[in-house]
Amino acid sequence: MPEGDVLARCAQTLGQALDGTRLTTAQLRWPNVDPGALVGQTVTQTLSYGKNLFQRTGDGWTLHTHLRMDGAWRTAPAGSPAAARLARTPHARVLLGNDATLCVGLDIGMVNLVRTRDEHTIVDRLGPDLLAADFEGGNARGGLHAGATPTPTGLQKAVSNAQADPSRPICEVLLDQRVVAGIGTIYMAESLFALRIWPWTPVAQLAGEDIANLLLAARRLMQRVVVGGFGARTSHAHARRGKPCHRCGTPIARGTANALPYERPVFYCPHCQPEPR
């Protein structure tokens, strides 16, 4: 499933193409959503929150989409053969375009059209956005509630959420979007590897500072991709089962987080991330 860095880059790309422009094409190929509700509207802002994408319009509506496991966005010059092919594919779920560019959401896993004032009904159940401008504190303004008085407590809230169930394995906690929004299997594995923590360590055995450092490690790794592109993404553990650890040479192992049917793969180094005694 795409993680927070993917959605942040989607927001950047779609925002550059659509923000401040009038939609000449707007099709929502989704049950129980008005397919032409956005035609003629002006996109005012595109932004991400965890694994969610929000596109606001000038008349007070927000299009919310979630990629789930297989979703992706593609763009093409308006009127080009590539745009025509994208529009014709049966995988197209959302088509948004202006006179210059067509943006197509393929295999999108969730589509909602809500009043902008009601966006909170989608994000209230989620933890803080790991990539929010004010996640670490300070006076930065940004994220889903841009323009509001910043509350520099995202990191503290995420740590508190993580500590709510002391017996829970830290790998499962990091994957829980109710704890913090944006981390998936990649950054769960890579942050645990970076701090040499056994993935199934109970939260009770970790200090609040340890959890905060894990979250900040995942945030830094994501920000590197947001700024530098997917070529900046590195993998020391994720998807490297059987390959030598970059630190010690031990073959990377694969385990599992969560119970059926929500199990997720966990990659780790048995030597660098040993089980606590």
Side-chain angles (χ1 to χ4, degrees), residues 8 17 19 22-23 41 48 54 62 64 69 82-83 93-94 102 112 119 128 133 167 177-178 195 216 224 231:
D19 285 4
R22 177 177 172 273
L23 294 174
Q41 301 301 322
S48 62
F54 296 86
T62 294
H64 164 242
M69 291 296 295
R93 299 290 180 267
V94 180
L102 178 68
N112 294 304
E119 288 175 355
S167 64
Q177 302 302 294
R178 297 168 298 180
L195 272 67
L216 292 176
R224 186 186 303 169

Side-chain angles (χ1 to χ4, degrees), residues 87-276:
R88 288 196 304 267
T89 175
H91 298 284
R93 299 290 180 267
V94 180
L95 283 74
L96 301 175
N98 51 31
D99 292 336
T101 307
L102 178 68
C103 304
V104 180
L106 303 173
D107 293 321
I108 300 296
M110 182 185 298
V111 178
N112 294 304
L113 193 61
V114 300
R115 300 299 298 184
T116 301
R117 63 175 180 266
D118 296 327
E119 288 175 355
H120 68 90
T121 61
I122 296 171
V123 301
D124 281 352
R125 60 185 175 80
L126 303 175
D129 177 14
L130 188 71
L131 289 177
D134 60 356
F135 182 79
E136 296 183 66
N139 295 317
R141 293 174 183 247
L144 190 63
H145 306 293
T149 301
T151 304
T153 56
L155 179 59
Q156 291 96 326
K157 286 183 179 179
V159 172
S160 177
N161 292 343
Q163 294 174 321
D165 187 349
S167 64
R168 199 175 183 192
I170 187 60
C171 61
E172 297 183 6
V173 169
L174 292 176
L175 292 173
D176 191 339
Q177 302 302 294
R178 297 168 298 180
V179 173
V180 63
I183 298 178
T185 54
I186 296 173
Y187 293 105
M188 172 269 290
E190 294 302 316
S191 59
L192 289 169
F193 178 86
L195 272 67
R196 299 174 179 261
I197 295 175
W198 189 58
W200 296 273
T201 302
V203 168
Q205 296 186 23
L206 297 171
E209 182 179 359
D210 296 327
I211 299 172
N213 287 336
L214 274 171
L215 296 172
L216 292 176
R219 175 178 164 88
R220 286 192 295 270
L221 291 169
M222 281 194 192
Q223 287 176 323
R224 186 186 303 169
V225 174
V226 173
V227 173
F230 294 111
R233 178 183 283 178
T234 58
S235 178
H236 296 291
H238 182 74
R240 297 192 66 248
R241 181 181 185 181
K243 297 180 180 179
C245 172
H246 291 155
R247 280 195 295 237
C248 70
T250 301
I252 295 295
R254 182 189 185 278
T256 303
N258 298 326
L260 293 170
Y262 304 107
E263 73 279 8
R264 304 293 296 279
V266 182
F267 298 90
Y268 68 105
C269 173
H271 181 266
C272 296
Q273 300 166 261
E275 181 177 356

